[in-house]
Amino acid sequence: METFFYILAIIFISAGVFFMLVGSIGLNRFPDVYCRAHASGKVDTLGIMFFILGLMFFEGFGQTSLKLLLVAVFVAITSPVATHALSRRALLHGVKPWKKKN
Amino acid sequence: MNQTAETAQSETSFFRKHRGIIYQAVLLMALWLILSGRFGLEPIIYGLLSVGAVVWLNFATGTVPMKTGETVSGQCINVYRLIIYTFWLVIEIIKSGFFVAYLILHPKMPINPMIVRFQTKLPNPLARVILGNSITLTPGTLTLDIQEDYFTVHAIVDEVEEDLVSGNMEARVGRLYLQECKAEEMCTDITILDSAVSAKQVVKYKGGSD
């Protein structure tokens, strides 16, 4: 049973690392502030969630995994707020959005 | 708004009136027990004292008016619907992460960004905060600004914008408060903005409240 949980933990932590890497690639590929906010705000959130889920499987059920669940909830609440604050400030400051050339 | 007022008057029980405080106390106590991890008599007494102090400090925040004259309150939220909504939101987080990751890893990067402003009529500020967070978490959309009833939203692909303007998600948030909510009424006055300059001019920006 422990081996099964370890395998699950490895799978989820690998998925989390992969999504964080994809988010960083997106930060470099996207053309303007708003699209980059999409990349960092969504993909990185998912990566952190998967990572924390893998750590919970690694720990087994107990006080530590409950604390990790609290961290996941906190990230899920704060990440959209931070994304919104950054992009709103950019909009009010007058940063022009990138448009596709037809 | 009238429907919620009538239900609140018909159920003026003690639990209904002080529901927010009771939930707050239970959640804070659970947080204390998780973080302390000890179940002796002394830690629990300390926890009760701290929870009582925090609830007493938070008691006044439900009636403090904001700049616009409205008060933030979760009095009329339907709790069972809120739990279902939370599960739906977790699924949406996973979907949006996979969607944006697909856009990033696609060799041609098929993005077509646009900025949309629309108006929805929601009863109070807390509902607007919930809707703003939900828009940011659903696939391909990002809340840029909220001014009174107007939401400014950045969509990364133009197909995503059609889903947003159909008003389904706004109706979901509205059903947390109201008994019934039609999707067609929730999304009106839709304009597609060309530049950041026009975004500032449509609604007069009051400023100061970040």
Side-chain angles (χ1 to χ4, degrees), chain B residues 84-160:
Chain B
I84 295 169
Y85 183 80
T86 313
F87 279 106
W88 175 78
L89 206 61
V90 169
I91 295 168
E92 288 291 319
I93 291 172
I94 295 169
K95 268 165 61 180
S96 70
F98 275 96
F99 180 71
V100 181
Y102 160 76
L103 286 181
I104 290 168
L105 293 177
H106 199 283
K108 290 181 181 177
M109 206 168 63
I111 59 173
N112 184 13
M114 62 197 308
I115 295 183
V116 185
R117 165 178 281 123
F118 61 89
Q119 181 185 18
T120 90
K121 288 187 166 55
L122 285 171
N124 73 24
L126 186 64
R128 291 202 283 273
V129 170
I130 292 174
L131 180 60
N133 260 354
S134 312
I135 288 174
T136 306
L137 287 173
T138 45
T141 50
L142 176 70
T143 312
L144 288 180
D145 201 0
I146 304 173
Q147 292 165 1
E148 289 163 11
D149 281 344
Y150 286 88
F151 280 69
T152 311
V153 175
H154 181 271
I156 199 165
V157 186
D158 42 4
E159 291 106 19
V160 173

Side-chain angles (χ1 to χ4, degrees), chain A residues 18-19 22-23 25-27 29-32 34-35 37-39 41-43 45-46 49-50 63 66-67 70 76-77 79-81 83-84 87-100, chain B residues 31 34-37 93-94 96-98 100-101 103-109 111-113 115 133 136-146 152 154-156 193-196 199-200 205 209-210:
Chain A
F18 170 75
F19 273 103
V22 168
I25 293 172
L27 272 184
R29 281 197 76 184
F30 278 157
D32 71 338
Y34 309 108
C35 299
H38 275 280
K42 295 191 176 72
V43 185
T45 309
L46 192 67
M49 299 277 236
F50 274 143
Q63 196 204 344
L66 281 176
K67 284 185 185 177
L70 281 179
I77 294 173
S79 167
V81 177
T83 311
H84 164 75
S87 49
R88 176 176 183 267
R89 199 30 64 192
L91 180 83
L92 293 177
H93 198 74
V95 177
K96 286 182 181 174
W98 179 85
K99 284 191 114 55
K100 195 174 181 179
Chain B
L31 187 70
I34 288 172
L35 290 182
S36 77
I93 291 172
I94 295 169
S96 70
F98 275 96
V100 181
L103 286 181
I104 290 168
L105 293 177
H106 199 283
K108 290 181 181 177
M109 206 168 63
I111 59 173
N112 184 13
I115 295 183
N133 260 354
T136 306
L137 287 173
T138 45
T141 50
L142 176 70
T143 312
L144 288 180
D145 201 0
I146 304 173
T152 311
H154 181 271
I156 199 165
L193 304 172
D194 289 334
S195 67
K200 278 197 252 184
Y205 177 56
S209 61
D210 275 334

